[in-house]
Amino acid sequence: MDVYYTRQDDWIAVHGDVATVGITDHAQKQLGDILFVQLPPIGTELVRGREAALVESIKAAADLFAPISGTVTETNPALEREPALVNTAPEAEGWMFRMTIGDPAELVGLLGRDLYLARIRRM
């Protein structure tokens, strides 16, 4: 499994031709307590850089943009009952959706863990 990060504080874990997407711990800390998550319907064709999901917190509403293009194959049903999983386990049980990878070449522009952590330390 390879994990990549975006400059918008999202993560993407790649398992073959399937990717799992969510927001980072840094992002959930910036948002505060998560109250609601609106996920894309299964079958949605996502385009890299376009809106994929919505996260509402006590502080703000934030769009999650697709880190790569592909088709949504699964959403996290636990987030309907317990959106706070995004706060308590953003890079584990708080994942948002899974998708098939449309173009693996789009992964090239994403950040590795060390580069991402260095970036948020400078903020």
Side-chain angles (χ1 to χ4, degrees):
M1 171 179 68
D2 295 317
V3 180
Y4 302 91
Y5 298 84
T6 70
R7 286 175 170 69
Q8 294 77 32
D9 299 309
D10 306 317
W11 59 268
I12 177 171
V14 177
H15 313 267
D17 65 346
V18 176
T20 303
V21 179
I23 67 171
T24 64
D25 186 55
H26 176 73
Q28 71 81 20
K29 286 177 183 172
Q30 298 298 312
L31 287 168
D33 293 337
I34 305 296
L35 305 173
F36 174 75
V37 179
Q38 181 179 8
L39 301 173
I42 293 172
T44 300
E45 295 287 333
L46 298 177
V47 176
R48 180 179 66 172
R50 297 229 176 121
E51 186 179 317
L54 176 70
V55 178
E56 292 184 15
S57 73
I58 59 170
K59 292 182 181 179
D63 291 321
L64 182 145
F65 297 97
I68 60 171
S69 300
T71 304
V72 176
T73 58
E74 183 181 358
T75 58
N76 187 345
L79 296 183
E80 286 184 35
R81 298 181 311 279
E82 193 177 351
L85 281 172
V86 176
N87 293 114
T88 58
E91 297 183 41
E93 291 87 10
W95 63 275
M96 296 194 179
F97 60 88
R98 291 193 172 110
M99 61 190 293
T100 56
I101 297 172
D103 181 2
E106 291 180 348
L107 295 167
V108 173
L110 301 176
L111 306 173
R113 184 164 183 78
D114 291 341
L115 191 54
Y116 174 74
L117 291 174
R119 180 187 159 279
I120 62 172
R121 279 189 207 110
R122 289 191 304 265
M123 297 174 87

